[in-house]
């Protein structure tokens, strides 16, 4: 079936460094992708999104890159801060009548002060 | 705007009991989605509802699970005769329509169901 493939790896970075979190997706029909941040005990929080007609989108301290050729997404966080510590998920949306999201397993980002 | 409200935050049920999870969407949102999250996994889509209609329940187990979104009141996810494997966090999201982007989906804080 369709899947966005992550198996909860952990990324440990020093405060102030840049972080890169990767994600592979498998559904070629997906045309919209989102990165979410989930802190312990909370729901997913929208970070940034990108449509399939783009390969890069920048927000405040975050950048998402999309490589459709190899079905790969990445999230770059500049100058990582302790408050960035959380689990990060990519999600894909193939549009259509339901607008449902397909989530990956997530990456735990641990920021060391 | 209070956001998407879910209650209870934590729910403990014995095997065989029923669990009722409630979700009040954001004001002005008429679309509700339910997702389930097992420990150290991503969220898995269960069901998508609009007022008084189930639009897509392709992720919902065929037995024991049901969902509704009445004309008045919150959306309810109901799990009958719970088993230990139902223990998970259940998240609700709402949207004003088939809208993408940061103003589309908004998630609640979830209900953590523990079956003992």
């Amino acid at each position: 079936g369709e899947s966005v493939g992550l198996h909860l790896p952990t990324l440990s970075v020093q405060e102030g460094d840049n972080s890169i979190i990767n994600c592979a997706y498998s559904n070629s029909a997906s045309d919209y992708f989102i990165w979410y941040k989930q802190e312990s005990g909370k729901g997913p929080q929208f970070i940034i999104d990108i449509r399939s007609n783009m390969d890069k989108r920048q927000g405040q301290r975050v950048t998402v890159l999309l490589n459709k050729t190899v079905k790969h997404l990445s999230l770059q966080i500049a100058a990582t801060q302790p408050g960035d510590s959380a689990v990060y998920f990519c999600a894909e949306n193939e549009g259509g009548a339901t607008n449902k999201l397909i989530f990956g397993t997530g990456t735990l980002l641990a920021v060391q002060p | 705007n209070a956001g998407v409200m879910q209650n209870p935050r934590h729910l403990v049920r014995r095997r065989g009991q029923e669990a009722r999870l409630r979700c009040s969407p954001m004001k002005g949102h008429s679309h509700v989605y339910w997702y389930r999250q097992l420990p150290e996994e991503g969220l898995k889509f269960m069901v998508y509802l609009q007022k008084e209609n189930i639009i897509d329940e392709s992720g919902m187990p065929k037995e024991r699970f049901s969902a509704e979104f009445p004309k008045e009141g919150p959306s309810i996810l109901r799990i009958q005769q719970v088993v230990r494997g139902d223990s998970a966090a259940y998240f609700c999201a709402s949207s004003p329509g088939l809208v993408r982007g940061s103003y589309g989906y908004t998630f609640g804080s979830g209900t953590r169901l523990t079956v003992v």
Side-chain angles (χ1 to χ4, degrees):
Chain A
E2 304 144 353
S3 67
V4 179
L6 292 176
H7 297 286
L8 202 56
T10 299
L11 177 63
S12 185
V13 300
Q14 292 292 320
E15 182 179 357
D17 287 352
N18 296 334
S19 302
I20 300 176
I21 300 171
N22 296 303
C23 172
Y25 67 93
S26 59
N27 187 354
S28 298
S30 295
D31 63 353
Y32 177 61
F33 304 88
I34 312 111
W35 280 99
Y36 285 95
K37 173 185 181 183
Q38 187 177 26
E39 296 173 290
S40 181
K42 296 185 179 180
Q45 176 188 354
F46 175 96
I47 300 174
I48 191 168
D49 58 0
I50 189 167
R51 296 183 185 273
S52 60
N53 60 353
M54 304 171 69
D55 54 20
K56 180 179 180 179
R57 190 163 188 225
Q58 289 184 291
Q60 187 175 18
R61 281 201 309 120
V62 295
T63 300
V64 55
L65 299 177
L66 173 62
N67 185 330
K68 294 182 289 295
T69 302
V70 295
K71 296 180 188 170
H72 184 269
L73 275 167
S74 67
L75 176 69
Q76 301 176 1
I77 304 174
T80 313
Q81 302 168 359
D84 295 327
S85 294
V87 178
Y88 289 79
F89 295 95
C90 64
E92 60 181 305
N93 179 311
E94 61 181 31
T98 68
N99 209 26
K100 67 185 180 186
L101 298 175
I102 300 169
F103 282 80
T105 309
T107 294
L108 174 61
L109 177 64
V111 182
Q112 310 301 322
Chain B
N1 194 333
V4 178
M5 303 301 294
Q6 289 189 249
N7 67 83
R9 289 297 306 275
H10 300 274
L11 181 61
V12 179
R13 283 289 177 264
R14 295 188 185 277
R15 282 176 294 170
Q17 290 185 320
E18 178 180 287
R20 280 184 179 241
L21 288 62
R22 296 174 188 78
C23 169
S24 296
M26 286 184 67
K27 187 176 180 180
H29 286 193
S30 58
H31 296 233
V32 165
Y33 311 80
W34 285 93
Y35 287 79
R36 177 164 62 177
Q37 185 177 34
L38 296 173
E40 297 204 345
E41 292 189 10
L43 282 70
K44 297 288 194 294
F45 170 80
M46 298 181 75
V47 61
Y48 161 48
L49 310 100
Q50 296 177 21
K51 284 283 187 181
E52 298 184 280
N53 285 300
I54 296 174
I55 307 301
D56 181 352
E57 55 182 347
S58 59
M60 192 97 94
K62 295 288 185 265
E63 297 179 351
R64 301 190 297 108
F65 284 72
S66 62
E68 63 177 8
F69 188 17
K71 186 177 180 182
E72 301 291 337
S75 175
I76 305 289
L77 179 67
R78 181 183 179 203
I79 311 172
Q80 295 178 289
Q81 299 174 330
V82 295
V83 301
R84 288 212 171 120
D86 296 332
S87 295
Y90 292 83
F91 290 95
C92 170
S94 72
S95 70
L98 291 176
V99 176
R100 294 173 164 186
S102 61
Y103 301 106
Y105 259 67
T106 302
F107 280 92
S109 296
T111 293
R112 277 129 190 99
L113 172 66
T114 302
V115 180
V116 297

